[in-house]
Amino acid sequence: MQLTELFLSALRALRAHKLRSFLTLLGVIIGVTTIVGVVAVISGLDTYVKEKVIRLAPDVFMVDRFGIIQSRHDFLLAFKRPLLTWTDFERISGANLPHVSRVSTRAVRSLRVDSGPRHLKNVTVVGSTANFAGLFKFEFEDGRYFNENENDLAANVAVIGADVKEELFPGVDPLGKTLLIRGLPFRIIGLFPRQGRSLGFSRDTIVCVPIQVYRKNFMSAKDSLNIQVEARGGVAGLDDAVSEVRSLLRAMRHTAYRDPDPFGIMTQDSLQELWKQISQAAFVLMLLVSSVSLGVGGIVIMNIMLVSVVERTTEIGIRMAIGARKRDIWRQFLLEASLLSLCGGIVGVTAGALVAWLVRTVGGFPAQITAGIVVSSVAVSTLIGLAAGFLPARRASNLPVIDALRAE
């Protein structure tokens, strides 16, 4: 029997029981939809985090009170650590460290910002040194970042994000205008380009001011600084720079030789490794959940195909009586099972792509569908169909011709 004839025969058999075929596919559709939707979200997040969130240059590392927290125990230990203070920053930046090129610092607080009758709550107000923008390679839509002189003089100048501009200065050029942070006036000297949303949060609701004016007006005694250090000589000097800063801070804290660091150090590699662990854990969890649904779908297909063998015993007997070989019957049932699963895979991929589109459009999550996701999902669903159809196809092909013709 030709492959085309087998295909048309299998297609006719499936079309003869449309509702049963659709219900049989539900398990596969749900499983593939889950796989495509979750993998699209994880893939989009992975790309977004690497390109947008982890903006740390390969030769820059951060010193923080908490560092990377991976458990409740880590958090409780980190919570007992001393704060990173302005004195710590001055001693690190003023120390003779041969492998350190630049040192900057910042502090962050969520505050209300006003301009005339308009106001915006929960704005991320960042106090930083002037070289902070250079370390993180900030871009500007208009204007500039404040300079060292303005920071040393605690000048009331600010650089604002796109959401702050749209809410407080709609249709107006904000440069040179004044906004109020806790009633304190700041002259706007720069505007960041739109950054978009990240994990459901806007990256454009931000105002950056000099760290000196921030310390005087917004910083409390319980706030800790975050210190950024650039290694001299690029990535090659990173390990030596980390070692120098760690030794200095441990000496400043009078930390015993065998005690752990009373601070955290984060590099680009450590942040990416942390994200890799998180995304892999999410992927494994998704795989377990989806495999249950796909397994159930495969069992349902096998069950329906076994029922189909019983219902079509006479048809099988007639086919074999007029010349159909065992392998023709075997291939026909295997093809039917594969077609069922393939259709479920295609519908599932379409539904998963729709879910990813809704997540990206409505939720603001950076989900993305790639060719690899589509091909692998369809391939997995087809393989499940082949596996599920193997036993029914074997049973159908091994039916004795006489017994099959006598069956009612």
Side-chain angles (χ1 to χ4, degrees), residues 235-314:
V235 178
L238 183 66
D239 290 342
D240 290 330
V242 169
S243 178
E244 288 177 352
V245 172
R246 172 179 282 129
S247 300
L248 177 60
L249 268 174
R250 287 178 65 90
M252 290 163 54
R253 297 275 192 271
H254 304 291
T255 307
Y257 176 75
R258 297 185 182 279
D259 289 347
D261 293 337
F263 49 84
I265 290 181
M266 295 173 285
T267 64
Q268 185 193 63
D269 287 344
S270 63
L271 293 174
Q272 289 189 348
E273 181 62 27
L274 175 64
W275 170 247
K276 185 178 177 182
Q277 292 176 8
I278 295 172
S279 59
Q280 283 181 343
F283 182 77
V284 170
L285 180 62
M286 176 276 305
L287 203 61
L288 290 174
V289 173
S290 303
S291 62
V292 172
S293 181
L294 288 173
V296 171
I299 292 172
V300 172
I301 291 175
M302 181 187 293
N303 185 49
I304 292 299
M305 293 304 298
L306 287 171
V307 172
S308 181
V309 171
V310 174
E311 291 176 345
R312 296 159 61 188
T313 300
T314 304

Side-chain angles (χ1 to χ4, degrees), residues 30 60 112 135 224 229-230 283 337:
I30 293 172
V60 176
R112 168 175 162 158
L135 277 178
S224 181
V229 183
E230 183 183 55
F283 182 77

Side-chain angles (χ1 to χ4, degrees), residues 86-102:
W86 182 254
T87 303
D88 294 329
F89 166 70
E90 285 187 315
R91 293 186 66 177
I92 294 174
S93 59
N96 181 21
L97 303 176
H99 293 93
V100 171
S101 175
R102 288 187 291 180

